[in-house]
Structures are given as C-alpha cells and as structure tokens.
Amino acid sequence: MRELCCLLLFLFGVASANPQTNSYLFVWAGDDAKKSQDFLAVIDADSKSPHYGETVASVAVPGATGTPHHTELEMPESGLLLANAFESGRSNVFDLRNPDHPSLATSFGDLDGYMHPHTYVRLANGHVLATFQYHGGHEPKSDGGGLVELDEHGHLIRSGSAMDAAAKDELIRPYSLVVVPSLDRIVSTNTSMHYKNERDTRTVQIWRLSDLKLLRTLVLPAGPGGKEQMLPGEPRLLADGKTVLVHTFSCGLYQMEGIETDKPSVRHSKTFEGERCAVPLRIGHYWIQTLFTTHSLAAYDISDLAHIREASRVTFDDQQKPHWIATDSDGRRIVLNSGEYGEHRLFIVNFDPVTGALNLDKSFRDKGGNTPGVSMDGKSWPHGFRGDAYPHGTVFSRTTTAANGPVATGSE
C-alpha cells in the first residue's frame, strides 16, 4: 500500500509539473454573404502542435446575423467572453472554459435605454464597463449613449450618460474606454460606428470611476496634417498609471495628462502614415499600431514621448487591411486580421518586448497551404456552416502560471 501511495504521489507530481500546454484562438466571425448565423470559432494556436492553425470547434449564435464586431481585448479569468453583434445591438457571452466545447451562455440587448454596445472592459470588482453608442434611439439625431456597468451575464449595475451641455455642438457616440483606477478616472472616446452617415467626431471624455459621473469633454487639437484629431478610437494607459495615449482612426496619437485635475491637458504626439489607422496595443514601452492604409503593423518605442521612434514593422500584401490586433498574456504573440475590410485571413506576429522586433509567424498557416496565415474562406465549420467568413474580434486563450512556466487554457 505504501508503494502504491508513493507511486500515485509521483504521478500527481509529474502531472502538476508538466501540465498541458494547449493554446487557442477564439475568433468572433460572420458569414460574408450575411445569410448564415454568426459564430465563434476555436483554432489551435499551439505552435508545437501538429494541428497548429486548424479548427478545433465552433458554436453558432441563433438567429439572423447581427454583424460580429468587437470582443473583449483579452480572455477574462472567468472563461466567459463578451462579443458584440453591433448592428443588431446584441451582446453575446460565450463560455470558453472548455475550448473543445464552446457554448453560448447568454445574450442581451439594450440596458437602461442604452443601445448598441461597442467596447467591454473588466473592472477590479469583476464587473464589466461598456460603451454604448446611443440612448433611446438609433438615428443620426438620437442622443449619444454612455457608460454602463454590468455583470458578465448582462445584468445592469449602473449607468452614466455621455451627453454634455458644454459640448452641445459635438457628436457624442461613445466608442472605447480605458480605466485609470489609481486616479478614480475613466477616459472614453467618441466615434460613430456609422460615421459616414453621421458626422465626424473629435472628442474624448473624462469620467469619475466611483460614480460614473461625466466630468469633462475635451476636443482633440488639430495635428500638423489638419485632420489627425478626427475619429478618436482607442485609449491606452501607460505604465505610470496616469498618462493616457489616445489613437484616432485618422492616424493621430494624442497624449492626455492631469486627468485627475480641474485642468486636464491633451496634445498631439505623433501622426502615423496613411489615412486610416485601426486598433492599437501598448506592450511595455512599445505602441503597436495597425496601419490600415499601408497594409502594415508597426511597433513604436514610446519610452520618450517627445521622440517617438519606429522600432520594427511587418508589411502585408495589398489584400490585407490590418484592423484588429490582440496579444497573448505574455505579450510575445499578436493575432491580426482585417475584419470585414480586407482578405478574411488570420495572422500571428511574434513580438520581442525587449527590442520591439515584429516577425511574421510563417508556420501559422492552413494545412498544405503555401501562404502564411489561416484563411476563413471556403471552409466547413463544425457547427454546420460552409462558406466564406470574416473574422473580427479575436483573442488568445488565457495563460496561467505553472511549475514549468505558462500554460494556456480557456480560463484560469
């Protein structure tokens, strides 16, 4: 009996020290023909796996397509991922705790009169803070939306309106946000998802985190090109915990300081090349920027904001219009796609957080394919759909710390 116990303890120790190292991509996607259901696909993202880049599973969302758009930017610890179908105004919650068997946990629509959510950010208390573009209607003259705090199952906690009498001439359409916990602040941006049918936007807003009170609306100043301030997109908090950088879809980069004071400041820091620049990331002291117009992904050293310099770049063919990017939990791999705007292909780019070097992972490709990247077109998916699909929000599975190092799973 003693020998048996020792053997079991030994085997348990081996299993604990050598856990599975599976890694996955969760891809929020839609039928390019807009006839079939939206779905979430699971793809093998373990570079050591013989099935690297192959589909593992998929799950459809009942009903007509709602136009898959953003997911959360990283996989939450709970294993429940929020993803919006923007045109329908629906939010979907996917249970990805078992990546081999993904499921739709729930879905929800308007909350407290707020409509069409866009960005979801997790709070320290486990709740979700989301931007909603409209309130009470979905027309060009409808009121702007606001921020809504909810639990991860879609139950309302509280909300705050983004409408500001001091900015009555500005179009308010909450787009994205960043939380600044140490200063009890939130910074949100305004860009209409329907900007071609509405007006351009050029404002960012500062809120108090503790009660969701809107404090101030700031107009971004014009850059040297005259249009960089248009269509504010994604704000990112720097490592100092107080400085916020804001990108615009018009290829501007703006620096915000003093957001906890009565006199916050915002100034132009850089103009990226091209006419359109989409989702960015901050990894350490590097700003990773999608350059939609020039078909590129570039890393910029922002350790000295007065002298931002390009550290590295990956350039794709003309069919790619880089739009969405997200990183794995150690900041060394970036997933990229063009959304519905370019070729329906997923790429993985390796990143060195020390040097800022970007390198395309050429081994991530379709089985038997000669082209880097995994296509979403012309495939049969496990849930029954066959055809061309476009990816949008895409995240890596979560990595946990184990005795031998990081282990990627659906959740911790």
Side-chain angles (χ1 to χ4, degrees):
M1 178 62 71
R2 180 181 180 183
E3 287 78 11
L4 177 60
C5 290
C6 290
L7 177 60
L8 291 174
L9 287 171
F10 172 77
L11 292 175
F12 177 79
V14 170
S16 299
N18 297 280
Q20 294 183 355
T21 58
N22 295 342
S23 176
Y24 304 94
L25 286 175
F26 301 123
V27 187
W28 179 220
D31 173 15
D32 192 51
K34 299 187 182 302
K35 295 180 179 179
S36 294
Q37 298 166 316
D38 303 332
F39 66 96
L40 185 131
V42 182
I43 293 177
D44 189 333
D46 184 349
S47 60
K48 296 180 180 179
S49 167
H51 304 291
Y52 190 37
E54 294 182 20
T55 300
V56 174
S58 62
V59 58
V61 175
T65 179
T67 310
H69 196 59
H70 276 210
T71 63
E72 296 178 75
L73 197 62
E74 60 183 28
M75 190 65 211
E77 293 182 10
S78 68
L80 300 180
L81 181 73
L82 279 86
N84 75 59
F86 183 80
E87 294 302 331
S88 68
R90 301 291 297 176
S91 294
N92 301 287
V93 183
F94 292 99
D95 186 342
L96 302 173
R97 288 173 288 187
N98 183 351
D100 292 332
H101 299 284
S103 63
L104 178 65
T106 190
S107 67
F108 56 92
D110 303 351
L111 292 174
D112 203 19
Y114 292 94
M115 308 171 65
H116 296 271
H118 184 270
T119 295
Y120 313 98
V121 171
R122 296 279 168 156
L123 298 174
N125 62 7
H127 292 162
V128 175
L129 192 61
T131 54
F132 281 69
Q133 292 238 300
Y134 298 88
H135 187 271
H138 183 205
E139 303 296 334
K141 293 185 179 180
S142 296
D143 282 349
L147 303 186
V148 176
E149 183 176 341
L150 55 142
D151 68 20
E152 63 181 355
H153 297 283
H155 301 126
L156 175 70
I157 306 297
R158 57 179 178 160
S159 64
S161 173
M163 295 301 288
D164 186 350
K168 61 182 180 180
D169 294 329
E170 302 292 334
L171 179 65
I172 301 298
R173 295 288 183 259
Y175 181 85
S176 190
L177 76 151
V178 67
V179 177
V180 188
S182 65
L183 303 180
D184 190 29
R185 291 293 183 270
I186 303 162
V187 172
S188 66
T189 59
N190 285 298
T191 278
S192 171
M193 282 285 291
H194 297 151
Y195 74 92
K196 292 181 179 179
N197 298 319
E198 297 191 314
R199 291 181 285 141
D200 283 343
T201 53
R202 56 178 187 162
T203 58
V204 295
Q205 295 182 294
I206 300 173
W207 309 67
R208 192 161 54 219
L209 173 61
S210 54
D211 60 1
L212 292 191
K213 178 179 175 56
L214 178 64
L215 301 175
R216 190 177 297 268
T217 301
L218 300 176
V219 175
L220 296 181
K227 295 183 178 181
E228 291 94 331
Q229 78 273 39
M230 298 300 180
L231 308 179
E234 300 288 346
R236 299 286 183 255
L237 181 63
L238 298 193
D240 64 5
K242 59 182 182 180
T243 303
V244 173
L245 292 186
V246 178
H247 122 285
T248 72
F249 287 99
S250 302
C251 294
L253 185 66
Y254 288 81
Q255 179 180 348
M256 296 183 68
E257 293 181 309
I259 61 173
E260 78 282 14
T261 71
D262 292 333
K263 294 183 179 180
S265 65
V266 58
R267 63 178 181 272
H268 174 266
S269 291
K270 183 173 178 61
T271 298
F272 301 111
E273 63 190 277
E275 296 178 357
R276 283 288 178 264
C277 296
V279 176
L281 292 171
R282 181 192 67 84
I283 304 177
H285 63 276
Y286 290 100
W287 185 268
I288 316 299
Q289 182 64 56
T290 51
L291 302 174
F292 186 100
T293 311
T294 63
H295 320 287
S296 305
L297 179 70
Y300 299 89
D301 187 336
I302 56 171
S303 55
D304 180 358
L305 290 173
H307 301 90
I308 297 174
R309 65 174 184 84
E310 184 174 323
S312 181
R313 174 180 298 222
V314 173
T315 299
F316 301 87
D317 62 47
D318 290 352
Q319 297 181 76
Q320 315 309 323
K321 299 182 184 297
H323 179 83
W324 173 275
I325 51 174
T327 183
D328 66 358
S329 53
D330 65 2
R332 292 184 176 273
R333 293 199 298 168
I334 297 168
V335 61
L336 175 148
N337 68 59
S338 298
E340 56 270 46
Y341 311 110
E343 185 184 15
H344 307 152
R345 185 174 290 271
L346 301 166
F347 295 92
I348 288 180
V349 178
N350 294 318
F351 177 66
D352 186 331
V354 176
T355 66
L358 294 164
N359 291 287
L360 182 64
D361 182 353
K362 297 181 179 179
S363 65
F364 183 72
R365 62 176 65 198
D366 290 306
K367 187 176 182 179
N370 297 318
T371 304
V374 170
S375 175
M376 298 284 288
D377 287 343
K379 291 184 173 180
S380 294
W381 299 89
H383 68 278
F385 168 67
R386 177 177 176 80
D388 296 346
Y390 63 88
H392 208 115
T394 304
V395 298
F396 284 93
S397 56
R398 192 171 184 84
T399 299
T400 62
T401 302
N404 270 19
V407 181
T409 59
S411 65
E412 288 188 331

